[in-house]
Amino acid sequence: MRKFKIFTIICFLFILLFFPVMSGVMPGREFSDMENRKLAQKPVFSVKSFLDGKYQDSYGKWLNDQFPWRDGWSLIAANLQALYGKKDINGVYIGKDGYLLEKYNEKEFDPEQIEENIKYLSDFLDYSVKNYGKDNVYCIMLPSKTEILDKKMPAFAETTGIKETLKTIKTLKNKLEEPNILTDARDILKDHKEEYIYYRTDHHWTTLGAYYVWAEFARKARFAVKEPGYYKREIVFDKFYGTTYNKAHINVNPDNVELFHSPGEERVQINMDNGKNLAASMYFPEEAKKGFNKYEIFSSGNTFKIEISTSADTGKTLLLIKDSFANCFVTFLTEDYSKIIMIDYRYGKTPVKDIITQYKNITDIMVMFNTEKFMQNTKLRSLASTGNSGTSMKKFNLEDFLE
């Protein structure tokens, strides 16, 4: 027993001393592909930072982030938790067939923020209907895979957040002067829930899921609906681990990233953020190869404004207010619109009225959000200030906005 105690103490001292030393000796990493985030770097010592405690805090974060073989230890810890029967890790449910599903509950949603976002969006959509006509305005709300893939959820999983999303869509629809412009994509995707319409390891839908929603939109917009066989389908990545994997680190099979090629994507011109990045393709495989997130093949990740000029001679210009779910959807629009302006308000603040003023040839408006992300979005204020532009739209009331 005495020898065992001595051995235990030696092991403890070894771990206590070995890993901090190794953290200082091993080359530091700037980015963790597995966690998809920047890692803390070794802080520079100064008397001031030491006395106010900032140095100690930064040093602790550096030790934690630069812990030797951190990714391996994270994988071991997560998989041990799963082995012992834990059904969710870091807000992610461990589902059936290798699916990792985000855990939503009502505590994650701020009622005041939801109310504000509904007002911003409903006012903007009402304005759009009055200026562009109800047949040219579309709002598509997209469910999370937690809502659609209920058969993949573990037994007794908490799904209280779904009630909040249903309430949000109902409230938004009731606020609209033309409620029929709103498409709740849940029923569309439920009809195909046995297919590969959501990534297993990421919160986004697959291109196949986007296709099914586009087909319904095309019918509504009276565009020609192409069957899946019309497209040349290409799997560009077969080892994609996405955002939900980054949270849970469970050992599951990777995803495939598939493209649906069409003649409409040929001869496109892409202009990101007023010329900061120019391209002649809808896809960015080289950029996606460099990082962990292969979903960035679509539009090279997220940015505030993307202008897409196509070879479609339709004379139609679409303003698309969106989040990242639209990045793999927009390619289906390239045969029906001569120009598409994509705006993501998580990355910019230009008021929508200024964008509308800049692009006077806009003919159609589309808003596409994942419902949960829309409810949590804190940057939709720029949708509120549409102005009246000589229309009958009710004037934006600042006092209402600040309530």
Side-chain angles (χ1 to χ4, degrees), residues 250-268:
I250 295 297
N251 187 23
V252 295
N253 291 327
D255 281 296
N256 296 330
V257 178
E258 185 179 29
L259 309 182
F260 280 45
H261 295 290
S262 74
E265 72 185 53
E266 298 174 2
R267 299 190 302 280
V268 299

Side-chain angles (χ1 to χ4, degrees), residues 192 208 211-212 214-215 219 224-233 260-262 332 335:
H192 300 278
L208 179 62
Y211 163 79
Y212 286 126
W214 168 81
R219 294 185 190 98
V225 179
K226 288 88 172 179
E227 297 299 318
Y230 171 81
Y231 301 93
K232 180 182 177 182
R233 297 169 66 169
F260 280 45
H261 295 290
S262 74
F332 295 108
E335 293 189 309

Side-chain angles (χ1 to χ4, degrees), residues 29 35 37 39 64-65 67-75:
R29 296 188 302 155
E35 297 177 71
R37 70 176 180 89
L39 299 176
N64 184 60
D65 278 8
F67 196 82
W69 310 294
R70 173 188 171 86
D71 290 352
W73 290 113
S74 296
L75 282 169

Side-chain angles (χ1 to χ4, degrees), residues 327-352:
N327 291 358
C328 70
F329 176 91
V330 69
T331 184
F332 295 108
L333 304 173
T334 55
E335 293 189 309
D336 297 306
Y337 289 100
S338 299
K339 176 169 276 191
I340 304 165
I341 302 112
M342 300 171 62
I343 301 294
D344 191 332
Y345 273 114
R346 295 172 299 169
Y347 304 98
K349 298 180 180 179
T350 304
V352 71

Side-chain angles (χ1 to χ4, degrees), residues 11-76:
C11 289
F12 175 76
L13 291 174
F14 175 78
I15 294 171
L16 189 65
L17 298 173
F18 175 76
F19 285 108
V21 170
M22 289 300 295
S23 295
V25 173
M26 294 177 66
R29 296 188 302 155
E30 293 186 0
F31 190 85
S32 169
D33 282 340
M34 190 175 79
E35 297 177 71
N36 194 29
R37 70 176 180 89
K38 292 182 178 180
L39 299 176
Q41 302 301 300
K42 189 174 183 179
V44 177
F45 177 83
S46 70
V47 175
K48 183 178 183 300
S49 64
F50 181 80
L51 292 176
D52 62 20
K54 291 182 179 179
Y55 177 80
Q56 295 91 318
D57 183 58
S58 298
Y59 192 85
K61 291 178 180 178
W62 168 70
L63 278 180
N64 184 60
D65 278 8
Q66 301 295 339
F67 196 82
W69 310 294
R70 173 188 171 86
D71 290 352
W73 290 113
S74 296
L75 282 169
I76 291 171

Side-chain angles (χ1 to χ4, degrees), residues 168-181:
T168 295
I169 292 174
K170 182 179 179 180
T171 304
L172 175 60
K173 194 162 190 173
N174 289 337
K175 291 272 287 184
L176 294 173
E177 294 180 4
E178 292 289 345
N180 289 336
I181 67 173

